[in-house]
Amino acid sequence: MTYGQGATGASAATVFGIDIGGSGIKGAPVDLHRGELAEERHKVLTPHPSTPSAVLDGVVEVVRHFDWPGRPVGVTFPGVVKSGVTLTAANVDKSWIGTDLAARLGERLGCPVTVLNDADAAGVAEVTFGAARGAKGTVIVLTLGTGIGSAVFTDGHLLTNTELGHLELDGHEAEKRASTKVKDDHELSWSHWARRVEKYLHHLEMLFSPELFVLGGGVSRKADKFVPLIEGVRAEIVPAQLKNNAGIVGAAMAAAAAAGDVG
């Protein structure tokens, strides 16, 4: 599917989206005509250990908070997802590997469930409704949080499950050097952390030569504190417009697309 033109032909204007993260599970009904949350999102903490059963309990709690009436639901997951099955689990319990999340959650909720990588969902939302709408060439959307998620687009075409946060940087996985969790855990200053993000972006630029970087995740609300400190990157760098709601919006878009309700 090609993204970037906005939602068209939506017969179901509101679809439920859920974003599963390493620290929180959040969701809300989404207005697919506007690409915005239709109601204020509800969030619960990701349980520890973050086993499938425990996380599914949290997801069900979020959905039931809105009394959602059994219509399709879209869900993001922080790892590689194929055909609704989670194949990696870098920032949640390893027992997630090989779990059919779509089937298990669909059984719990009694409705169709569509699952996709969390950064892919955020990227789809940003390319369709947000900071990358109408962008040409290669766009890389990064979600900076517990780890680093990535979504790569070329002229609106998504390359799924890239997981570029696991590229090596200074002998470590990039997300172990430049995620916001690392910044918080090590109490790094904005300038120190910005240097790490800058080095990571240089590495990505060497590999992909993008025209645009979109930096998302919760830290995008504070983009003015670190984006101006990033130097020497040729590509344009902008904060995510949908900020930390992008994953919820993208999840809802995926559910609607799977149901044939949105182009």
Side-chain angles (χ1 to χ4, degrees):
M1 183 176 288
T2 303
Y3 300 95
Q5 304 304 314
T8 59
S11 60
T14 305
V15 179
F16 204 94
I18 301 168
D19 190 8
I20 298 173
S23 60
I25 302 165
K26 51 190 181 290
V30 176
D31 181 334
L32 291 179
H33 291 310
R34 296 183 300 159
E36 299 175 355
L37 304 192
E39 299 183 44
E40 184 176 351
R41 74 186 190 188
H42 183 65
K43 179 179 179 179
V44 298
L45 296 179
T46 301
H48 294 285
S50 50
T51 60
S53 294
V55 170
L56 287 175
D57 285 344
V59 172
V60 170
E61 179 181 341
V62 170
V63 175
R64 288 180 176 167
H65 173 82
F66 294 92
D67 194 26
W68 189 248
R71 297 200 301 268
V73 169
V75 182
T76 79
F77 181 79
V80 173
V81 178
K82 288 191 176 182
S83 300
V85 178
T86 58
L87 302 182
T88 66
N91 294 300
V92 289
D93 195 84
K94 301 305 180 188
S95 58
W96 271 103
I97 297 173
T99 297
D100 192 334
L101 173 54
R104 289 186 59 172
L105 184 57
E107 184 178 348
R108 292 282 302 270
L109 296 178
C111 68
V113 172
T114 302
V115 184
L116 71 165
N117 173 269
D118 57 348
D120 285 350
V124 165
E126 287 295 332
V127 167
T128 305
F129 295 108
R133 183 172 185 176
K136 301 299 183 181
T138 300
V139 174
I140 298 180
V141 180
L142 299 172
T143 55
L144 306 172
T146 305
I148 297 178
S150 61
V152 179
F153 298 82
T154 300
D155 292 331
H157 294 274
L158 171 65
L159 177 63
T160 61
N161 291 310
T162 50
E163 292 286 276
L164 299 180
H166 300 304
L167 288 174
E168 183 178 319
L169 186 67
D170 294 332
H172 303 274
E173 286 189 343
E175 67 178 27
K176 304 301 184 185
R177 297 284 297 166
S179 68
T180 53
K181 183 178 188 300
V182 169
K183 178 190 181 303
D184 294 341
D185 287 350
H186 296 277
E187 299 182 346
L188 302 179
S189 67
W190 286 107
S191 60
H192 188 168
W193 184 62
R195 295 283 78 77
R196 293 189 178 196
V197 175
E198 174 187 295
K199 191 167 188 177
Y200 177 52
L201 297 184
H202 278 299
H203 190 53
L204 293 178
E205 191 163 61
M206 180 268 293
L207 293 172
F208 296 97
S209 300
E211 279 68 41
L212 175 67
F213 284 112
V214 179
L215 304 186
V219 75
S220 59
R221 296 191 301 269
K222 301 177 181 178
D224 60 314
K225 295 183 179 293
F226 71 97
V227 170
L229 303 177
I230 298 173
E231 300 177 342
V233 176
R234 295 188 303 274
E236 183 181 4
I237 305 170
V238 298
Q241 187 173 314
L242 280 68
K243 299 184 170 61
N244 214 21
N245 290 334
I248 298 173
V249 173
M253 290 176 64
D261 285 334
V262 64

